[in-house]
Structure formats: structure tokens, C-alpha cells
Amino acid sequence: MKHAGPQALDQLDDLLAKLRGQQALVEKKRGTFYRKSSAFLHFHEDPDGLFADAKLAGKDFERFRVSTAKERSAFLRRVAHALAAASPAALRSARSRDTRRGP
């Protein structure tokens, strides 16, 4: 599966625009986003459709189909949830809950 070329990325313009709106993400080159200094997501094209590889739950990439508007919408929700869960405020809140539970 090859990385998405310019024509494939043109098909994802709506998705790319919404990803660019996420403050935690930086687009290093068109369609390749980083979170802090780490690669976070990029796109592939295949005869079966368009796909996003993203690190939503750890350090390994997961593959998500993003060929349809419904798939892109679901993917954006997953990205937003992952970024919110990894935000400093969310991490502070989780740590606070952990310390209240005690041993």
C-alpha cells in the first residue's frame, strides 16, 4: 500500500482541513501530521480505497479506512477522542483520580 499522492489527498481535502484545525497536530507536509515531535498520522491509497494510519492508542500505527464521508467522520471522532485523552488537562485529571484511590 503506497502513501497517498496528491490526487488521493485532493479527495481528502475536507478531512485534512478538519485535522489542521486540531491544535495538537502539526502538518509537516501535506497529509502527514505530527503530535509534538512524533509522527501521528498519514494516509495511504490502495485499490480498496483510502486509508489513514494513526497512533490513537499508543506508539503503534492503526489503519482506518477513510474512503467515505461516514468513515472520515468516524475517524475524526476517534482522533479528537485520542487527542483529548492525551491532553495535559486529561492527564492531570487521570493522575488526580489515581492518587485519590490510594493503594
Side-chain angles (χ1 to χ4, degrees), residues 3-97:
H3 283 265
Q7 290 178 330
L9 293 173
D10 287 346
Q11 295 175 49
L12 297 173
D13 249 355
D14 61 327
L15 176 60
L16 295 175
K18 290 175 181 167
L19 290 168
R20 289 177 187 125
Q22 295 285 339
Q23 284 189 329
L25 298 180
V26 174
E27 189 174 24
K28 296 280 186 161
K29 68 175 195 171
R30 188 173 182 223
T32 302
F33 292 85
Y34 278 66
R35 184 174 174 275
K36 298 185 180 180
S37 62
S38 179
F40 181 76
L41 75 92
H42 59 273
F43 297 92
H44 292 274
E45 58 182 300
D46 184 78
D48 291 332
L50 300 171
F51 296 86
D53 283 357
K55 294 180 184 177
L56 299 185
K59 58 184 177 181
D60 293 326
F61 282 103
E62 297 176 67
R63 182 152 291 161
F64 301 88
R65 186 176 158 89
V66 292
S67 293
T68 68
K70 185 175 180 178
E71 291 166 341
R72 289 190 288 274
S73 180
F75 176 67
L76 280 171
R77 283 192 301 275
R78 303 263 323 251
V79 168
H81 179 75
L83 293 174
S87 74
L91 293 174
R92 281 193 301 274
S93 176
R95 277 191 230 119
S96 175
R97 283 192 306 270

